[in-house]
Structures are given as structure tokens and as C-alpha cells.
């Protein structure tokens, strides 16, 4: 009799992942407890409903016969939406109940997820020739590229499954995520071996680093994503200098770097030049011509093209990207207002081509001019919405209003006395707040089709980042309270942590002067915040472990000229952490030098003190690295991973 013992499949998920014997104690196993690691529990029993074939019936059901029809007609596979609208790519054939898929069988699903869904979400259609065709062709002979593609596709599938409400979907999502993390580790190890045999200044190496950065964006891992982004940008600058002729991959890689730079501006709110990561990826002339080549159809994937187009418009100039996406901009007064107004004309050109009724400007909505009374009623009065949005159309409209709000806020701070810019800011902020209704997780499956994004797929932008930055330019605390509540409801979007943003805005509220108008017509006029130039600015940093947060609040100090902070000074610092369930604990706040209304108070630290803070020093060390270190990559990945 054979002594071969069949491997059991009833152990806890953690022991199965570690490939060790589980004692199967419930609810958590003794082995995990002894090893001082988290026990992920046990998988539910699965039951297969076997339908017996009737006499004379063909052995192939209509669903089983899809594959030959697809092959004969030449129609490509498309994302198949489940009952909750998750765009999971279906295959023409699936394993039968009698088959036990081997360890890497999920690679087939992951590869097709990337090929038919992920790449369309992350990149403009004009660059699919590189991100889809070229990379998938190279993956035939480069295993590290294949592992990177399948890891990203697998994690995309996992994030969609985990966002559902069904327990079975969440179980499948957790299992798929473990597979994605294992494949990711293989990918970075393969990349390390590849870099030992060829120079890093290769478009394929840079592309793989960017895909790894997007992987960590889906994973919510800030340290690992920023490291991959930085190295991709560093290698890109070397490679673009060495290229004698313009490569077909130059524009696709440059576009991806610009879009990821928005994320870095939000999660690393100090001037990006301070970290030695100057942006040399501005909009190429060919891309400017492309932005005017689209038609009027905004359905499906073309809507994603319009969104990528708008992101390119707002990344054309470095100072514009800073004004929109950076919480703090030094020497704002040195930016000529005329340059910003000229740029606004390009935005209006995009709006005319997009031709959406929800993108009303202030002049269109209020022909006779916007007043304080109108602003006070924007949130408290019910808004009649004629147009019903999908998540993606709402995100596109919100992106426009958000960018306009940030630019109008910059103009209001530069001009000082022109109230029109300040009131226009509040109008665009109110539009973002109304559109954020479509960011709720519960709205995942409403009105979706295979060509529209769903919640959690917009990893380089998101409602949480836009709401957080809009919270810095609100007319009163009532609006900010609304934003704080909505951020906690949204949760995490990619690298953007809504509850952490909400905590930062709550701390900020205690360091901004307000004026109470007891004769107010609306309650929104109570606790009105001061003019734009008097507002404080939060600098929120996530520590490398992904669980601790540091907040530094900057207050205006017109008489101070600091080499890093300009006419701002540090008025307080706060620190908080998360519990085992990821909930934010109460922040510990330390104020410096009394009230914010007294700028220049003694005892307030300078930028030298700020740059000596450990959290900022750790991030600056990341941006000083100039080579791929597999040990550091794995360390950042492990520290920030979320199972």
C-alpha cells in the first residue's frame, strides 16, 4: 500500500499560505498563536450544485458553448459583470468540478484581467500599443515581466472581489490577494536578477517598475509605491538622455509618471524638488495635439480617454500641477496670474469638447454674478440634479470642478482683495461635494457596464484626495464637517486614506480663526473661516510602517521668509496611529507658540526643525536611492502590506 499522504485542505488560511501543518483549532489555530502571527481563519465549506443531464440533452450547456462562438466570430473577450457589477474578466472555458487547478492556474485569469481590463483603466487608449501589446509580447521570453503582469491583474481581481458584499466573493478575494502577493515577490526578485545583467536605463525595466508602483497603489502601500515610482523616474531621466532617437515608449512612460506624480504630491506634501525628484515629464507636443483629436462620444472607454486627457492638461506645466495637487506651495505670489488665466483657457477648451451639462461654470450658473448669499445656500438648499451619473462620469465631472476650485483658490490667495475668485472656489467645491455621492461603496453595482470604471479602480486619482484638498478651501466649518464625514464613509482609495484625511481636517479645525455672524440667514454662515491668505495648511505624512501618521500644521506668517516654508511657520504637530482593525485612534496634538492668529510667536520651529523630523528624513532617504535594492523593496512591501 502506498505511503503517500494526500495534503489536507482544511487548515487555516495562514497555515496554508505558509505551507505548514495546521492543528485546526477553532476559531484560531494554536500554531499561529504560538508563532505570534495573525490567524486568517478558515475557509467556508463549498458546495457544488450538480445538475443531471436529461435524456437526449447535449452535454454542453449554452454557457459552455460560448467559447466556440467567440472563436468563430472573432470577438475579443470582454469583462463579465457579476451580480454586483464587478468587471471580472470571464474566460471561454473554466475548470469542471472534477478538476483541481494547479498552483499557477490563476495566472490565466490574472493575465486576461490585465489584458482586457486593468490596462484600460490605468492608461489612455493611445498608449495601449505599448502597455498591452509590447509588454505582453515581451512577457513571452521575460519571466519577470510576465510575473509583474499577472501579479497586477490578480490584485486588481482581488480588490474587486473584496469590495463586494457577498461572503463568498470576499473569501475568493482574500485567496486571490494572497496569490497576487506571492507573484509580486517573484516579480521583484526576477527584476533584481534582470538588473544584474542589463543597465537599468531600459524602457522595459522602467515600465515594470511603474506596473509594480500601480500594484502597490491597488494594495494601499505608500512606501513601496513611492519607492518604485522614484526609481522609475530616476531611470527614465537616464534613459531619455541616452536615447538618440525618440522611442515609441517615451510618451507612454512619461504620461504614467506624470499621473503618478499627482499621488506623490498628495501623500508627500512638501515641495517635490526638496526630495530631489524634479519633474522632467511635462506634456509632449504630440500629446497636446492628441488632446484635441477626440470626438463627442463619451461612452465607455472613450470617457476614460477624456479623463486621462484632463489629467494631461493639468500636468502640462509644473506650477499648475503643484497648485492643483500639492496642499502646500511655496512662494505662491511669484506665479504670474496671467499664466494661470492663460492655462484656464485650455481647460475651457477641454470642457467645450467634453460638452457635459454638469460642467457649468460660475458665469453659466449665475449670469448676474455669484454673491455670498448664493454661496451660503449651495449646500443647505437641495440641488435638483437632472443628470444621473455613473461612478466614472461623476469622477470626471468632479475632477474638472476640483481642478477649477484649486486654481481659483490660488488666484484668490495671489490677488488678496478680489472676492470673485474666492466665491468661484466655493461654487466648484460645492459641485465636488454633490458629485461625491457617487463615491459610496454601496453604489458599486448601479448602472454600470463593462466600459465604465467602478469604485476602487481610479488608483491615481480618487474622490478622497479631491475632498481632502477641497477641505482646505471651504467657506465654513459646516462644509468641512460634511467632507470629514464623507471621507470616513469612502475609506481607502488606492494610496489615499479617507479616515486619515478626515482626522487631519479635524485637527486643522482647531487652528484656524472663525467669525460668527449671529444675524446669519443660514446656519452655514456660522463658524465662517477667514480669507484665503489667513488659512492654515496641513502637511500629512504616513510613516514607513503604514500605520502611524504625522501631521504638521503650517500657519501664515507674512513677516517670515523661510527657505523651505516661505511665509509660513509650523504652528502645531499631531500624531496618531491605527488599531488592529485599521480604525484611527485619537490624535495627540502639540501646539507651538500660542494662537495661530498671532503669527511670528516665539517658540515656533523653523524649517530646519521640520526637516529633522524622522518621518521626513525617512522619505528623503527613499528619494536619495539610485539603484534597485530587492531587500529594501521587499521590506517596504512587507511593512505596508494589508492582507
Amino acid at each position: 500500500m502506498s505511503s503517500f499522504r494526500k495534503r489536507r485542505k482544511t487548515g487555516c488560511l495562514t497555515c496554508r499560505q505558509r505551507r505548514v501543518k495546521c492543528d485546526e483549532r477553532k476559531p484560531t489555530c494554536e500554531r499561529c498563536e504560538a508563532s505570534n502571527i495573525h490567524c486568517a481563519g478558515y475557509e467556508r465549506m463549498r458546495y457544488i450544485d450538480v445538475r443531471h443531464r436529461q435524456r437526449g440533452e447535449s452535454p454542453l450547456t449554452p454557457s459552455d458553448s460560448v467559447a466556440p462562438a467567440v472563436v468563430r466570430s472573432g470577438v475579443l473577450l470582454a469583462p463579465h459583470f457579476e451580480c454586483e457589477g464587478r468587471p471580472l474578466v470571464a474566460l471561454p472555458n473554466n475548470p469542471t468540478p472534477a478538476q483541481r487547478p494547479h498552483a499557477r492556474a490563476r495566472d490565466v485569469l490574472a493575465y486576461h484581467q490585465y489584458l482586457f481590463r486593468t490596462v484600460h483603466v490605468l492608461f489612455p487608449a493611445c498608449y495601449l500599443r505599448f502597455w498591452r501589446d509590447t509588454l505582453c509580447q515581451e512577457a513571452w521570453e521575460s519571466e519577470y515581466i510576465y510575473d509583474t503582469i499577472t501579479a497586477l491583474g490578480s490584485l486588481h481581481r482581488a480588490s474587486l472581489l473584496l469590495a463586494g458584499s457577498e461572503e463568498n466573493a470576499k473569501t475568493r478575494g482574500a485567496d486571490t490577494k494572497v496569490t497576487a502577493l506571492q507573484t509580486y515577490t517573484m516579480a521583484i526578485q526576477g527584476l533584481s536578477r534582470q538588473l544584474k545583467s542589463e543597465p537599468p536605463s531600459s524602457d522595459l525595466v522602467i515600465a515594470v517598475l511603474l506596473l509594480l508602483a500601480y500594484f502597490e497603489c491597488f494594495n494601499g502601500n505608500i512606501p513601496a509605491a513611492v519607492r518604485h515610482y522614484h526609481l522609475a523616474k530616476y531611470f527614465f531621466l537616464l534613459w531619455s538622455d541616452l536615447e538618440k532617437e525618440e522611442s515609441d515608449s517615451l510618451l507612454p512612460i512619461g504620461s504614467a509618471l506624470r499621473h503618478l506624480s499627482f499621488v506623490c504630491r498628495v501623500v508627500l506634501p512638501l515641495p517635490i524638488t526638496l526630495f530631489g525628484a524634479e519633474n522632467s515629464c511635462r506634456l509632449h507636443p504630440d500629446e497636446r495635439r492628441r488632446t484635441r483629436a477626440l470626438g463627442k462620444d463619451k461612452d465607455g472607454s472613450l470617457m476614460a480617454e477624456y479623463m486621462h486627457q484632463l489629467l494631461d492638461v493639468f500636468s502640462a506645466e509644473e506650477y499648475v500641477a503643484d497648485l492643483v495637487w500639492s496642499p502646500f506651495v511655496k512662494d505662491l505670489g511669484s506665479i504670474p496670474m496671467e499664466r494661470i488665466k492663460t492655462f484656464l483657457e485650455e481647460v475651457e477648451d477641454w470642457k467645450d469638447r467634453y460638452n457635459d451639462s454638469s460642467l457649468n461654470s460660475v458665469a453659466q450658473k449665475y449670469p448676474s454674478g455669484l454673491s455670498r448669499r448664493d454661496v451660503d445656500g449651495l449646500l443647505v438648499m437641495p440641488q435638483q440634479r437632472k443628470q444621473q451619473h455613473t461612478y466614472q462620469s461623476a469622477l470626471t465631472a468632479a475632477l474638472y470642478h476640483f481642478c477649477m476650485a484649486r486654481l481659483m483658490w490660488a488666484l484668490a490667495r495671489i490677488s488678496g482683495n478680489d472676492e470673485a475668485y474666492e466665491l468661484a472656489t466655493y461654487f466648484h467645491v460645492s459641485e465636488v461635494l454633490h458629485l461625491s455621492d457617487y463615491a459610496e461603496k454601496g453604489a458599486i453595482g448601479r448602472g454600470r457596464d463593462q466600459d465604465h470604471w467602478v469604485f476602487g479602480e481610479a488608483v491615481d486619482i480618487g474622490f478622497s484626495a479631491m475632498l481632502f484638498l477641497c477641505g482646505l478651501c471651504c467657506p465654513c466649518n459646516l462644509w468641512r464637517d460634511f467632507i470629514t464625514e464623507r471621507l470616513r464613509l469612502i475609506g481607502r482609495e488606492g494610496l489615499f486614506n479617507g479616515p486619515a484625511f478626515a482626522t487631519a481636517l479635524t485637527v486643522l479645525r482647531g487652528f484656524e480663526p472663525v467669525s460668527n455672524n449671529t444675524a446669519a440667514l443660514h446656519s452655514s454662515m456660522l463658524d465662517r473661516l477667514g480669507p484665503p491668505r489667513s488659512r492654515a495648511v496641513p502637511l500629512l505624512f504616513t510613516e514607513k510602517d503604514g500605520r502611524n501618521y504625522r501631521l504638521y500644521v503650517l500657519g501664515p506668517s507674512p513677516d517670515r521668509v523661510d527657505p523651505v516654508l516661505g511665509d509660513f511657520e509650523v504652528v502645531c504637530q499631531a500624531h496618531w496611529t491605527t488599531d488592529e482593525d485599521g480604525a484611527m485612534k485619537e490624535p495627540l496634538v502639540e501646539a507651538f507658540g500660542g494662537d495661530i492668529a498671532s503669527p511670528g510667536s516665539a517658540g515656533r520651529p523653523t524649517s530646519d526643525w521640520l526637516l529633522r523630523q524622522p518621518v521626513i528624513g525617512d522619505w528623503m532617504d527613499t528619494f536619495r536611492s539610485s539603484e534597485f535594492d530587492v531587500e529594501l523593496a521587499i521590506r517596504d512591501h512587507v511593512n505596508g502590506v494589508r492582507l
Side-chain angles (χ1 to χ4, degrees), residues 134-153:
T134 300
L135 288 185
C136 290
Q137 185 67 38
E138 294 292 336
W140 282 104
E141 60 178 350
S142 298
E143 191 173 3
Y144 78 100
I145 299 179
Y146 176 78
D147 287 336
T148 302
I149 288 174
T150 53
L152 181 55

Side-chain angles (χ1 to χ4, degrees), residues 484-547:
T484 300
E485 181 180 353
R486 181 56 54 85
L487 284 171
R488 292 195 174 102
L489 180 65
I490 292 175
R492 182 182 290 274
E493 282 184 296
L495 298 185
F496 304 129
N497 192 320
F501 288 154
T503 304
L505 291 178
T506 302
V507 174
L508 181 68
R509 179 171 182 167
F511 292 89
E512 285 193 320
V514 296
S515 60
N516 290 318
N517 185 359
T518 56
L521 179 63
H522 298 296
S523 61
S524 63
M525 298 177 65
L526 298 174
D527 290 338
R528 174 174 292 176
L529 300 171
R533 285 188 175 181
S534 68
R535 301 291 183 88
V537 177
L539 304 182
L540 177 62
F541 294 90
T542 305
E543 295 190 5
K544 288 293 189 70
D545 61 2
R547 295 169 177 81

Side-chain angles (χ1 to χ4, degrees), residues 155-181:
L155 189 61
H156 186 190
R157 292 182 65 84
S159 64
L160 293 170
L161 288 166
L162 290 171
S165 58
E166 299 175 356
E167 286 299 323
N168 183 41
K170 291 184 177 181
T171 300
R172 290 164 54 202
D175 197 21
T176 305
K177 186 170 184 177
V178 170
T179 302
L181 298 177

Side-chain angles (χ1 to χ4, degrees), residues 58-197:
S58 170
L60 291 179
T61 64
S63 61
D64 293 326
S65 60
V66 170
V70 171
V71 175
R72 286 196 298 269
S73 63
V75 179
L76 292 176
L77 292 174
H80 167 69
F81 277 59
E82 296 185 354
C83 59
E84 290 191 354
R86 291 184 292 268
L88 298 169
V89 175
L91 298 178
N93 59 345
N94 288 298
T96 65
Q99 290 179 306
R100 188 182 298 275
H102 56 78
R104 302 211 68 181
R106 287 191 182 91
D107 288 358
V108 181
L109 286 171
Y111 184 86
H112 282 79
Q113 183 75 23
Y114 174 87
L115 192 64
F116 294 106
R117 180 65 180 184
T118 310
V119 72
H120 294 274
V121 170
L122 297 180
F123 308 109
C126 59
Y127 296 144
L128 294 185
R129 183 175 180 181
F130 174 74
W131 292 108
R132 182 189 61 194
D133 304 343
T134 300
L135 288 185
C136 290
Q137 185 67 38
E138 294 292 336
W140 282 104
E141 60 178 350
S142 298
E143 191 173 3
Y144 78 100
I145 299 179
Y146 176 78
D147 287 336
T148 302
I149 288 174
T150 53
L152 181 55
S154 186
L155 189 61
H156 186 190
R157 292 182 65 84
S159 64
L160 293 170
L161 288 166
L162 290 171
S165 58
E166 299 175 356
E167 286 299 323
N168 183 41
K170 291 184 177 181
T171 300
R172 290 164 54 202
D175 197 21
T176 305
K177 186 170 184 177
V178 170
T179 302
L181 298 177
Q182 293 171 342
T183 311
Y184 170 88
T185 303
M186 295 167 54
I188 60 178
Q189 290 172 342
L191 176 61
S192 178
R193 291 191 296 269
Q194 183 69 21
L195 288 173
K196 294 177 181 178
S197 60

Side-chain angles (χ1 to χ4, degrees), residues 382-447:
Q383 300 290 312
Q384 298 296 327
R385 299 287 168 179
K386 297 181 180 179
Q387 182 174 356
Q388 290 296 318
H389 288 280
T390 63
Y391 169 76
Q392 185 176 354
S393 65
L395 188 64
T396 305
L399 180 63
Y400 164 77
H401 286 295
F402 160 73
C403 293
M404 291 296 295
R406 294 292 293 169
L407 289 178
M408 290 297 173
W409 187 250
L411 290 172
R413 291 183 58 193
I414 294 173
S415 64
N417 297 324
D418 195 336
E419 191 181 53
Y421 294 125
E422 181 184 355
L423 297 180
T425 300
Y426 301 149
F427 165 77
H428 288 292
V429 169
S430 71
E431 292 294 306
V432 175
L433 301 190
H434 287 293
L435 289 165
S436 68
D437 290 340
Y438 294 89
E440 297 180 14
K441 290 183 178 181
I444 291 177
R446 295 189 310 206

